[in-house]
Amino acid sequence: MSVNTIETSKPKISSSQKLENGLLAEFKASKSTLFGNGGLRAQAMESFVRQGFPNRKSEEYKYINFDLIVKEGFGGTTNKAATTKQMEHLLFLKDAITVVIYNGQFIPELSSVSGLPKGLIVCSLAEASHKHTSVFENNYSKVADTNADPFIALNTAMTKDGAFIHVEKNTIIETPIHIIHTSTADKNTIIHPRNLIIIEENAQAKIAETYATIDSTAKTFNNALTEIFINTSAIVDHYKIQDENEWGLLVNATQVIQKQYSVFSTHTFTLSGSLVRNNLNIILDAKDIESHLNGLYLTKGTQVVDNHTLVDHRMPNCNSNELYKGIIDDKSSATFNGKIFVRKDAQKTNAFQSNKNILLSDDGTINTKPQLEIYADDVKCSHGTSTGKLDEEKVFYLRARGLSEASAKKLLMHAFASEVTDMIKIEELREYVEARITKRFE
């Protein structure tokens, strides 16, 4: 008698699942060496394992195929070290308080955090967890919900270090604080930098974050998270410059909570990077708050840029204004998904949102979805979007006055971008961004 055996094939493991398994193993091996609350980290990793990397079926990430992105594999750490010479082009804010985060680690010898103004603390997150324990524990991971997004959960579980900034009550910091996130890799590497920024009552600060890769021969996947607490009557100007070239993948979450009479302005400039995903969530958690969200993204090649914003109006008499603009070229794609959420108690809300895009190529793609979700009846809210090509009549007008076609188009693109760049209040930063934009158009 012969017995026929039936072979059953094992289900194929996707690239994302392989990376998830590798990250879980890395967490188990390194968790005892990481700063902060081990219980919080364990819960965050459980949340990440439960959620997993998003796929096309996820509404929030449906335009990004992460399985395709991570198919080459990510893991481990690089042996490369950053030098002052490599950093020179990133130190463009000459009079700033500089914080260098290299491959997710705070580097004191490349930073300038000695002799700080009274009322300002700047150090690494790891140092803050044991030297400034009360402030750290009262704020760390309080607004970034690990169950809301797998990347927040992964960062909370795996982060090794980052920047801690605390501006004390009634303190005005005139000097900009410049957080430089830089990375380099000789093999595909995933890192998890994190910032915790607390601006106390009646305090003021200007903070710039830049993201760049230097001297890389492999891809770096930055899973970055910044928490910002803006207390009563505080004023904060926040800038984010993303310029990671073709080696950089960046998933960037910024979680902000504002208290009464505070004013927060944030400006995001995406200049390069093979994949950039920005999640910006702002909670207006008291009365009489003002928020401004501005963004500019320039895409080319096969670059993917995905901007998701959420402004959560919870209380009355608050104002929010949002303007995002994009220029899309070649076979690149961009997404803007902006939601304004007005809760039942948020009467007398004024909320405005606009997304404008220029398509330079027939092969480029823009997905735009401004949203309003309103549960109050005494509000002024509006949203709008427009997408088109460069105005040929304006090009003809400029050519009739002696400009070449290329020069006319560059001039019009600069004019389109200037509505956002002109809002930069730090002169050196504005000049740097404008120079990078000029180089990009050429």
PDB file of all heavy atoms in Angstrom, residues 400-437:
ATOM      1  N   ALA A 400       8.167  87.899 -23.411  1.00  0.00           N
ATOM      2  CA  ALA A 400       8.039  89.100 -24.237  1.00  0.00           C
ATOM      3  C   ALA A 400       8.887  90.247 -23.698  1.00  0.00           C
ATOM      4  O   ALA A 400       9.156  91.219 -24.419  1.00  0.00           O
ATOM      5  CB  ALA A 400       6.572  89.526 -24.317  1.00  0.00           C
ATOM      6  N   ARG A 401       9.318  90.129 -22.445  1.00  0.00           N
ATOM      7  CA  ARG A 401      10.151  91.161 -21.830  1.00  0.00           C
ATOM      8  C   ARG A 401      11.600  90.731 -21.702  1.00  0.00           C
ATOM      9  O   ARG A 401      12.362  91.259 -20.883  1.00  0.00           O
ATOM     10  CB  ARG A 401       9.569  91.548 -20.474  1.00  0.00           C
ATOM     11  CG  ARG A 401       8.441  92.571 -20.662  1.00  0.00           C
ATOM     12  CD  ARG A 401       7.332  92.434 -19.659  1.00  0.00           C
ATOM     13  NE  ARG A 401       6.265  93.396 -19.981  1.00  0.00           N
ATOM     14  CZ  ARG A 401       5.354  93.186 -20.917  1.00  0.00           C
ATOM     15  NH1 ARG A 401       5.384  92.076 -21.639  1.00  0.00           N
ATOM     16  NH2 ARG A 401       4.423  94.111 -21.160  1.00  0.00           N
ATOM     17  N   GLY A 402      11.974  89.715 -22.511  1.00  0.00           N
ATOM     18  CA  GLY A 402      13.384  89.398 -22.670  1.00  0.00           C
ATOM     19  C   GLY A 402      13.880  88.185 -21.916  1.00  0.00           C
ATOM     20  O   GLY A 402      15.050  87.808 -22.059  1.00  0.00           O
ATOM     21  N   LEU A 403      13.054  87.539 -21.123  1.00  0.00           N
ATOM     22  CA  LEU A 403      13.497  86.355 -20.386  1.00  0.00           C
ATOM     23  C   LEU A 403      13.405  85.116 -21.277  1.00  0.00           C
ATOM     24  O   LEU A 403      12.518  85.026 -22.133  1.00  0.00           O
ATOM     25  CB  LEU A 403      12.653  86.139 -19.128  1.00  0.00           C
ATOM     26  CG  LEU A 403      13.112  86.854 -17.854  1.00  0.00           C
ATOM     27  CD1 LEU A 403      12.933  88.362 -17.995  1.00  0.00           C
ATOM     28  CD2 LEU A 403      12.349  86.336 -16.654  1.00  0.00           C
ATOM     29  N   SER A 404      14.307  84.183 -21.062  1.00  0.00           N
ATOM     30  CA  SER A 404      14.201  82.895 -21.742  1.00  0.00           C
ATOM     31  C   SER A 404      13.036  82.119 -21.137  1.00  0.00           C
ATOM     32  O   SER A 404      12.547  82.451 -20.046  1.00  0.00           O
ATOM     33  CB  SER A 404      15.481  82.088 -21.586  1.00  0.00           C
ATOM     34  OG  SER A 404      15.655  81.703 -20.223  1.00  0.00           O
ATOM     35  N   GLU A 405      12.608  81.059 -21.829  1.00  0.00           N
ATOM     36  CA  GLU A 405      11.501  80.259 -21.306  1.00  0.00           C
ATOM     37  C   GLU A 405      11.861  79.634 -19.955  1.00  0.00           C
ATOM     38  O   GLU A 405      11.055  79.631 -19.028  1.00  0.00           O
ATOM     39  CB  GLU A 405      11.124  79.169 -22.309  1.00  0.00           C
ATOM     40  CG  GLU A 405       9.942  78.326 -21.850  1.00  0.00           C
ATOM     41  CD  GLU A 405       9.513  77.289 -22.879  1.00  0.00           C
ATOM     42  OE1 GLU A 405      10.166  77.213 -23.934  1.00  0.00           O
ATOM     43  OE2 GLU A 405       8.537  76.563 -22.611  1.00  0.00           O
ATOM     44  N   ALA A 406      13.099  79.113 -19.860  1.00  0.00           N
ATOM     45  CA  ALA A 406      13.529  78.498 -18.599  1.00  0.00           C
ATOM     46  C   ALA A 406      13.558  79.519 -17.470  1.00  0.00           C
ATOM     47  O   ALA A 406      13.104  79.248 -16.352  1.00  0.00           O
ATOM     48  CB  ALA A 406      14.893  77.852 -18.774  1.00  0.00           C
ATOM     49  N   SER A 407      14.078  80.705 -17.735  1.00  0.00           N
ATOM     50  CA  SER A 407      14.151  81.749 -16.703  1.00  0.00           C
ATOM     51  C   SER A 407      12.765  82.211 -16.293  1.00  0.00           C
ATOM     52  O   SER A 407      12.509  82.460 -15.105  1.00  0.00           O
ATOM     53  CB  SER A 407      14.966  82.944 -17.220  1.00  0.00           C
ATOM     54  OG  SER A 407      16.299  82.575 -17.465  1.00  0.00           O
ATOM     55  N   ALA A 408      11.862  82.315 -17.262  1.00  0.00           N
ATOM     56  CA  ALA A 408      10.489  82.735 -16.951  1.00  0.00           C
ATOM     57  C   ALA A 408       9.807  81.716 -16.044  1.00  0.00           C
ATOM     58  O   ALA A 408       9.135  82.085 -15.064  1.00  0.00           O
ATOM     59  CB  ALA A 408       9.699  82.913 -18.246  1.00  0.00           C
ATOM     60  N   LYS A 409       9.999  80.433 -16.340  1.00  0.00           N
ATOM     61  CA  LYS A 409       9.366  79.392 -15.525  1.00  0.00           C
ATOM     62  C   LYS A 409       9.960  79.362 -14.116  1.00  0.00           C
ATOM     63  O   LYS A 409       9.237  79.208 -13.133  1.00  0.00           O
ATOM     64  CB  LYS A 409       9.516  78.038 -16.207  1.00  0.00           C
ATOM     65  CG  LYS A 409       8.645  77.897 -17.460  1.00  0.00           C
ATOM     66  CD  LYS A 409       8.780  76.523 -18.087  1.00  0.00           C
ATOM     67  CE  LYS A 409       7.832  76.384 -19.273  1.00  0.00           C
ATOM     68  NZ  LYS A 409       7.937  75.049 -19.929  1.00  0.00           N
ATOM     69  N   LYS A 410      11.287  79.525 -14.008  1.00  0.00           N
ATOM     70  CA  LYS A 410      11.916  79.545 -12.688  1.00  0.00           C
ATOM     71  C   LYS A 410      11.423  80.731 -11.866  1.00  0.00           C
ATOM     72  O   LYS A 410      11.188  80.605 -10.659  1.00  0.00           O
ATOM     73  CB  LYS A 410      13.440  79.574 -12.828  1.00  0.00           C
ATOM     74  CG  LYS A 410      14.050  78.227 -13.162  1.00  0.00           C
ATOM     75  CD  LYS A 410      15.556  78.218 -13.037  1.00  0.00           C
ATOM     76  CE  LYS A 410      16.213  78.941 -14.180  1.00  0.00           C
ATOM     77  NZ  LYS A 410      17.690  78.796 -14.147  1.00  0.00           N
ATOM     78  N   LEU A 411      11.260  81.861 -12.508  1.00  0.00           N
ATOM     79  CA  LEU A 411      10.779  83.049 -11.805  1.00  0.00           C
ATOM     80  C   LEU A 411       9.368  82.821 -11.272  1.00  0.00           C
ATOM     81  O   LEU A 411       9.054  83.182 -10.132  1.00  0.00           O
ATOM     82  CB  LEU A 411      10.805  84.256 -12.747  1.00  0.00           C
ATOM     83  CG  LEU A 411      10.431  85.613 -12.133  1.00  0.00           C
ATOM     84  CD1 LEU A 411      11.402  85.991 -11.029  1.00  0.00           C
ATOM     85  CD2 LEU A 411      10.403  86.695 -13.221  1.00  0.00           C
ATOM     86  N   LEU A 412       8.517  82.210 -12.087  1.00  0.00           N
ATOM     87  CA  LEU A 412       7.145  81.946 -11.650  1.00  0.00           C
ATOM     88  C   LEU A 412       7.102  80.925 -10.512  1.00  0.00           C
ATOM     89  O   LEU A 412       6.295  81.055  -9.586  1.00  0.00           O
ATOM     90  CB  LEU A 412       6.307  81.455 -12.841  1.00  0.00           C
ATOM     91  CG  LEU A 412       5.993  82.496 -13.919  1.00  0.00           C
ATOM     92  CD1 LEU A 412       5.288  81.840 -15.096  1.00  0.00           C
ATOM     93  CD2 LEU A 412       5.133  83.629 -13.359  1.00  0.00           C
ATOM     94  N   MET A 413       7.979  79.926 -10.586  1.00  0.00           N
ATOM     95  CA  MET A 413       8.009  78.935  -9.506  1.00  0.00           C
ATOM     96  C   MET A 413       8.515  79.550  -8.206  1.00  0.00           C
ATOM     97  O   MET A 413       8.007  79.243  -7.127  1.00  0.00           O
ATOM     98  CB  MET A 413       8.859  77.729  -9.925  1.00  0.00           C
ATOM     99  CG  MET A 413       8.178  76.857 -10.973  1.00  0.00           C
ATOM    100  SD  MET A 413       9.044  75.305 -11.311  1.00  0.00           S
ATOM    101  CE  MET A 413      10.465  75.902 -12.213  1.00  0.00           C
ATOM    102  N   HIS A 414       9.504  80.434  -8.310  1.00  0.00           N
ATOM    103  CA  HIS A 414       9.976  81.136  -7.115  1.00  0.00           C
ATOM    104  C   HIS A 414       8.865  81.987  -6.503  1.00  0.00           C
ATOM    105  O   HIS A 414       8.701  82.021  -5.280  1.00  0.00           O
ATOM    106  CB  HIS A 414      11.172  82.026  -7.469  1.00  0.00           C
ATOM    107  CG  HIS A 414      12.489  81.359  -7.268  1.00  0.00           C
ATOM    108  ND1 HIS A 414      13.014  81.091  -6.025  1.00  0.00           N
ATOM    109  CD2 HIS A 414      13.398  80.894  -8.163  1.00  0.00           C
ATOM    110  CE1 HIS A 414      14.188  80.508  -6.158  1.00  0.00           C
ATOM    111  NE2 HIS A 414      14.435  80.357  -7.449  1.00  0.00           N
ATOM    112  N   ALA A 415       8.112  82.650  -7.354  1.00  0.00           N
ATOM    113  CA  ALA A 415       7.013  83.481  -6.858  1.00  0.00           C
ATOM    114  C   ALA A 415       5.958  82.621  -6.170  1.00  0.00           C
ATOM    115  O   ALA A 415       5.401  83.009  -5.129  1.00  0.00           O
ATOM    116  CB  ALA A 415       6.391  84.261  -8.013  1.00  0.00           C
ATOM    117  N   PHE A 416       5.706  81.446  -6.730  1.00  0.00           N
ATOM    118  CA  PHE A 416       4.736  80.521  -6.132  1.00  0.00           C
ATOM    119  C   PHE A 416       5.215  80.052  -4.761  1.00  0.00           C
ATOM    120  O   PHE A 416       4.441  80.010  -3.794  1.00  0.00           O
ATOM    121  CB  PHE A 416       4.569  79.320  -7.073  1.00  0.00           C
ATOM    122  CG  PHE A 416       3.629  78.257  -6.584  1.00  0.00           C
ATOM    123  CD1 PHE A 416       2.259  78.395  -6.722  1.00  0.00           C
ATOM    124  CD2 PHE A 416       4.118  77.096  -6.006  1.00  0.00           C
ATOM    125  CE1 PHE A 416       1.385  77.406  -6.283  1.00  0.00           C
ATOM    126  CE2 PHE A 416       3.261  76.100  -5.559  1.00  0.00           C
ATOM    127  CZ  PHE A 416       1.889  76.261  -5.700  1.00  0.00           C
ATOM    128  N   ALA A 417       6.504  79.736  -4.657  1.00  0.00           N
ATOM    129  CA  ALA A 417       7.052  79.238  -3.385  1.00  0.00           C
ATOM    130  C   ALA A 417       7.215  80.331  -2.347  1.00  0.00           C
ATOM    131  O   ALA A 417       7.163  80.073  -1.138  1.00  0.00           O
ATOM    132  CB  ALA A 417       8.396  78.558  -3.637  1.00  0.00           C
ATOM    133  N   SER A 418       7.398  81.574  -2.789  1.00  0.00           N
ATOM    134  CA  SER A 418       7.731  82.656  -1.861  1.00  0.00           C
ATOM    135  C   SER A 418       6.620  82.953  -0.859  1.00  0.00           C
ATOM    136  O   SER A 418       6.889  83.497   0.217  1.00  0.00           O
ATOM    137  CB  SER A 418       8.066  83.933  -2.642  1.00  0.00           C
ATOM    138  OG  SER A 418       6.922  84.427  -3.328  1.00  0.00           O
ATOM    139  N   GLU A 419       5.384  82.587  -1.172  1.00  0.00           N
ATOM    140  CA  GLU A 419       4.296  82.804  -0.222  1.00  0.00           C
ATOM    141  C   GLU A 419       4.546  82.050   1.078  1.00  0.00           C
ATOM    142  O   GLU A 419       4.119  82.488   2.159  1.00  0.00           O
ATOM    143  CB  GLU A 419       2.962  82.379  -0.835  1.00  0.00           C
ATOM    144  CG  GLU A 419       1.747  82.754   0.009  1.00  0.00           C
ATOM    145  CD  GLU A 419       0.430  82.400  -0.648  1.00  0.00           C
ATOM    146  OE1 GLU A 419       0.448  81.809  -1.756  1.00  0.00           O
ATOM    147  OE2 GLU A 419      -0.618  82.705  -0.060  1.00  0.00           O
ATOM    148  N   VAL A 420       5.269  80.921   0.981  1.00  0.00           N
ATOM    149  CA  VAL A 420       5.604  80.142   2.169  1.00  0.00           C
ATOM    150  C   VAL A 420       6.960  80.553   2.727  1.00  0.00           C
ATOM    151  O   VAL A 420       7.120  80.745   3.930  1.00  0.00           O
ATOM    152  CB  VAL A 420       5.588  78.627   1.857  1.00  0.00           C
ATOM    153  CG1 VAL A 420       5.902  77.822   3.112  1.00  0.00           C
ATOM    154  CG2 VAL A 420       4.224  78.217   1.304  1.00  0.00           C
ATOM    155  N   THR A 421       7.965  80.720   1.863  1.00  0.00           N
ATOM    156  CA  THR A 421       9.305  81.053   2.352  1.00  0.00           C
ATOM    157  C   THR A 421       9.353  82.420   3.020  1.00  0.00           C
ATOM    158  O   THR A 421      10.135  82.631   3.949  1.00  0.00           O
ATOM    159  CB  THR A 421      10.338  81.000   1.221  1.00  0.00           C
ATOM    160  OG1 THR A 421       9.954  81.908   0.182  1.00  0.00           O
ATOM    161  CG2 THR A 421      10.445  79.595   0.642  1.00  0.00           C
ATOM    162  N   ASP A 422       8.523  83.344   2.568  1.00  0.00           N
ATOM    163  CA  ASP A 422       8.516  84.688   3.167  1.00  0.00           C
ATOM    164  C   ASP A 422       8.045  84.686   4.617  1.00  0.00           C
ATOM    165  O   ASP A 422       8.227  85.669   5.341  1.00  0.00           O
ATOM    166  CB  ASP A 422       7.632  85.637   2.355  1.00  0.00           C
ATOM    167  CG  ASP A 422       8.277  86.049   1.036  1.00  0.00           C
ATOM    168  OD1 ASP A 422       9.480  85.765   0.861  1.00  0.00           O
ATOM    169  OD2 ASP A 422       7.586  86.641   0.187  1.00  0.00           O
ATOM    170  N   MET A 423       7.434  83.597   5.052  1.00  0.00           N
ATOM    171  CA  MET A 423       6.966  83.512   6.433  1.00  0.00           C
ATOM    172  C   MET A 423       8.075  83.136   7.416  1.00  0.00           C
ATOM    173  O   MET A 423       7.863  83.160   8.622  1.00  0.00           O
ATOM    174  CB  MET A 423       5.825  82.500   6.538  1.00  0.00           C
ATOM    175  CG  MET A 423       4.586  82.865   5.750  1.00  0.00           C
ATOM    176  SD  MET A 423       3.308  81.602   5.951  1.00  0.00           S
ATOM    177  CE  MET A 423       2.091  82.164   4.742  1.00  0.00           C
ATOM    178  N   ILE A 424       9.262  82.770   6.891  1.00  0.00           N
ATOM    179  CA  ILE A 424      10.377  82.407   7.775  1.00  0.00           C
ATOM    180  C   ILE A 424      10.914  83.672   8.433  1.00  0.00           C
ATOM    181  O   ILE A 424      11.356  84.591   7.750  1.00  0.00           O
ATOM    182  CB  ILE A 424      11.486  81.690   6.987  1.00  0.00           C
ATOM    183  CG1 ILE A 424      10.935  80.446   6.290  1.00  0.00           C
ATOM    184  CG2 ILE A 424      12.634  81.318   7.911  1.00  0.00           C
ATOM    185  CD1 ILE A 424      11.949  79.753   5.398  1.00  0.00           C
ATOM    186  N   LYS A 425      10.924  83.697   9.753  1.00  0.00           N
ATOM    187  CA  LYS A 425      11.331  84.891  10.496  1.00  0.00           C
ATOM    188  C   LYS A 425      12.823  84.924  10.799  1.00  0.00           C
ATOM    189  O   LYS A 425      13.344  85.968  11.194  1.00  0.00           O
ATOM    190  CB  LYS A 425      10.527  84.977  11.795  1.00  0.00           C
ATOM    191  CG  LYS A 425       9.032  85.164  11.578  1.00  0.00           C
ATOM    192  CD  LYS A 425       8.285  85.224  12.899  1.00  0.00           C
ATOM    193  CE  LYS A 425       6.781  85.357  12.673  1.00  0.00           C
ATOM    194  NZ  LYS A 425       6.039  85.376  13.950  1.00  0.00           N
ATOM    195  N   ILE A 426      13.517  83.799  10.663  1.00  0.00           N
ATOM    196  CA  ILE A 426      14.962  83.756  10.889  1.00  0.00           C
ATOM    197  C   ILE A 426      15.649  84.002   9.551  1.00  0.00           C
ATOM    198  O   ILE A 426      15.560  83.183   8.629  1.00  0.00           O
ATOM    199  CB  ILE A 426      15.389  82.396  11.470  1.00  0.00           C
ATOM    200  CG1 ILE A 426      14.621  82.097  12.767  1.00  0.00           C
ATOM    201  CG2 ILE A 426      16.890  82.364  11.732  1.00  0.00           C
ATOM    202  CD1 ILE A 426      14.820  80.681  13.293  1.00  0.00           C
ATOM    203  N   GLU A 427      16.345  85.135   9.417  1.00  0.00           N
ATOM    204  CA  GLU A 427      16.873  85.561   8.121  1.00  0.00           C
ATOM    205  C   GLU A 427      17.826  84.539   7.513  1.00  0.00           C
ATOM    206  O   GLU A 427      17.723  84.201   6.328  1.00  0.00           O
ATOM    207  CB  GLU A 427      17.576  86.911   8.267  1.00  0.00           C
ATOM    208  CG  GLU A 427      18.072  87.473   6.939  1.00  0.00           C
ATOM    209  CD  GLU A 427      18.697  88.849   7.084  1.00  0.00           C
ATOM    210  OE1 GLU A 427      18.659  89.402   8.200  1.00  0.00           O
ATOM    211  OE2 GLU A 427      19.242  89.360   6.088  1.00  0.00           O
ATOM    212  N   GLU A 428      18.780  84.026   8.303  1.00  0.00           N
ATOM    213  CA  GLU A 428      19.732  83.039   7.780  1.00  0.00           C
ATOM    214  C   GLU A 428      19.029  81.782   7.294  1.00  0.00           C
ATOM    215  O   GLU A 428      19.422  81.193   6.285  1.00  0.00           O
ATOM    216  CB  GLU A 428      20.740  82.674   8.865  1.00  0.00           C
ATOM    217  CG  GLU A 428      21.848  83.692   9.083  1.00  0.00           C
ATOM    218  CD  GLU A 428      22.847  83.203  10.107  1.00  0.00           C
ATOM    219  OE1 GLU A 428      22.420  82.865  11.221  1.00  0.00           O
ATOM    220  OE2 GLU A 428      24.043  83.152   9.788  1.00  0.00           O
ATOM    221  N   LEU A 429      18.003  81.378   7.998  1.00  0.00           N
ATOM    222  CA  LEU A 429      17.253  80.191   7.604  1.00  0.00           C
ATOM    223  C   LEU A 429      16.501  80.435   6.305  1.00  0.00           C
ATOM    224  O   LEU A 429      16.476  79.582   5.417  1.00  0.00           O
ATOM    225  CB  LEU A 429      16.279  79.798   8.718  1.00  0.00           C
ATOM    226  CG  LEU A 429      15.444  78.533   8.490  1.00  0.00           C
ATOM    227  CD1 LEU A 429      16.341  77.318   8.322  1.00  0.00           C
ATOM    228  CD2 LEU A 429      14.470  78.326   9.633  1.00  0.00           C
ATOM    229  N   ARG A 430      15.908  81.616   6.186  1.00  0.00           N
ATOM    230  CA  ARG A 430      15.188  81.948   4.951  1.00  0.00           C
ATOM    231  C   ARG A 430      16.141  81.972   3.757  1.00  0.00           C
ATOM    232  O   ARG A 430      15.832  81.436   2.686  1.00  0.00           O
ATOM    233  CB  ARG A 430      14.479  83.298   5.098  1.00  0.00           C
ATOM    234  CG  ARG A 430      13.626  83.665   3.875  1.00  0.00           C
ATOM    235  CD  ARG A 430      12.811  84.914   4.095  1.00  0.00           C
ATOM    236  NE  ARG A 430      13.647  86.092   4.317  1.00  0.00           N
ATOM    237  CZ  ARG A 430      13.801  86.690   5.483  1.00  0.00           C
ATOM    238  NH1 ARG A 430      13.193  86.228   6.556  1.00  0.00           N
ATOM    239  NH2 ARG A 430      14.577  87.749   5.591  1.00  0.00           N
ATOM    240  N   GLU A 431      17.313  82.560   3.937  1.00  0.00           N
ATOM    241  CA  GLU A 431      18.294  82.612   2.851  1.00  0.00           C
ATOM    242  C   GLU A 431      18.756  81.209   2.458  1.00  0.00           C
ATOM    243  O   GLU A 431      18.941  80.916   1.272  1.00  0.00           O
ATOM    244  CB  GLU A 431      19.490  83.468   3.281  1.00  0.00           C
ATOM    245  CG  GLU A 431      19.160  84.953   3.406  1.00  0.00           C
ATOM    246  CD  GLU A 431      20.320  85.757   3.985  1.00  0.00           C
ATOM    247  OE1 GLU A 431      21.332  85.129   4.395  1.00  0.00           O
ATOM    248  OE2 GLU A 431      20.212  86.993   4.027  1.00  0.00           O
ATOM    249  N   TYR A 432      18.941  80.335   3.442  1.00  0.00           N
ATOM    250  CA  TYR A 432      19.361  78.964   3.158  1.00  0.00           C
ATOM    251  C   TYR A 432      18.286  78.225   2.356  1.00  0.00           C
ATOM    252  O   TYR A 432      18.590  77.562   1.359  1.00  0.00           O
ATOM    253  CB  TYR A 432      19.639  78.231   4.466  1.00  0.00           C
ATOM    254  CG  TYR A 432      19.968  76.768   4.286  1.00  0.00           C
ATOM    255  CD1 TYR A 432      21.258  76.354   3.969  1.00  0.00           C
ATOM    256  CD2 TYR A 432      18.980  75.788   4.425  1.00  0.00           C
ATOM    257  CE1 TYR A 432      21.563  74.998   3.791  1.00  0.00           C
ATOM    258  CE2 TYR A 432      19.272  74.440   4.253  1.00  0.00           C
ATOM    259  CZ  TYR A 432      20.558  74.056   3.941  1.00  0.00           C
ATOM    260  OH  TYR A 432      20.843  72.733   3.762  1.00  0.00           O
ATOM    261  N   VAL A 433      17.046  78.335   2.795  1.00  0.00           N
ATOM    262  CA  VAL A 433      15.953  77.643   2.106  1.00  0.00           C
ATOM    263  C   VAL A 433      15.799  78.172   0.683  1.00  0.00           C
ATOM    264  O   VAL A 433      15.640  77.397  -0.275  1.00  0.00           O
ATOM    265  CB  VAL A 433      14.643  77.793   2.902  1.00  0.00           C
ATOM    266  CG1 VAL A 433      13.456  77.266   2.088  1.00  0.00           C
ATOM    267  CG2 VAL A 433      14.730  77.045   4.227  1.00  0.00           C
ATOM    268  N   GLU A 434      15.863  79.478   0.524  1.00  0.00           N
ATOM    269  CA  GLU A 434      15.725  80.062  -0.814  1.00  0.00           C
ATOM    270  C   GLU A 434      16.860  79.618  -1.731  1.00  0.00           C
ATOM    271  O   GLU A 434      16.648  79.357  -2.923  1.00  0.00           O
ATOM    272  CB  GLU A 434      15.664  81.582  -0.711  1.00  0.00           C
ATOM    273  CG  GLU A 434      14.345  82.088  -0.120  1.00  0.00           C
ATOM    274  CD  GLU A 434      14.328  83.584   0.085  1.00  0.00           C
ATOM    275  OE1 GLU A 434      15.425  84.206   0.030  1.00  0.00           O
ATOM    276  OE2 GLU A 434      13.234  84.159   0.310  1.00  0.00           O
ATOM    277  N   ALA A 435      18.081  79.520  -1.184  1.00  0.00           N
ATOM    278  CA  ALA A 435      19.216  79.059  -1.986  1.00  0.00           C
ATOM    279  C   ALA A 435      19.027  77.609  -2.408  1.00  0.00           C
ATOM    280  O   ALA A 435      19.339  77.221  -3.544  1.00  0.00           O
ATOM    281  CB  ALA A 435      20.508  79.232  -1.207  1.00  0.00           C
ATOM    282  N   ARG A 436      18.525  76.767  -1.500  1.00  0.00           N
ATOM    283  CA  ARG A 436      18.282  75.369  -1.824  1.00  0.00           C
ATOM    284  C   ARG A 436      17.189  75.236  -2.889  1.00  0.00           C
ATOM    285  O   ARG A 436      17.258  74.382  -3.768  1.00  0.00           O
ATOM    286  CB  ARG A 436      17.893  74.590  -0.567  1.00  0.00           C
ATOM    287  CG  ARG A 436      18.999  74.487   0.478  1.00  0.00           C
ATOM    288  CD  ARG A 436      20.182  73.688  -0.026  1.00  0.00           C
ATOM    289  NE  ARG A 436      19.797  72.315  -0.316  1.00  0.00           N
ATOM    290  CZ  ARG A 436      20.420  71.521  -1.150  1.00  0.00           C
ATOM    291  NH1 ARG A 436      21.467  71.994  -1.843  1.00  0.00           N
ATOM    292  NH2 ARG A 436      20.030  70.273  -1.340  1.00  0.00           N
ATOM    293  N   ILE A 437      16.163  76.083  -2.793  1.00  0.00           N
ATOM    294  CA  ILE A 437      15.091  76.058  -3.777  1.00  0.00           C
ATOM    295  C   ILE A 437      15.619  76.466  -5.155  1.00  0.00           C
ATOM    296  O   ILE A 437      15.309  75.852  -6.182  1.00  0.00           O
ATOM    297  CB  ILE A 437      13.920  76.968  -3.336  1.00  0.00           C
ATOM    298  CG1 ILE A 437      13.231  76.355  -2.112  1.00  0.00           C
ATOM    299  CG2 ILE A 437      12.924  77.159  -4.474  1.00  0.00           C
ATOM    300  CD1 ILE A 437      12.191  77.260  -1.493  1.00  0.00           C
TER     301      ILE A 437
END
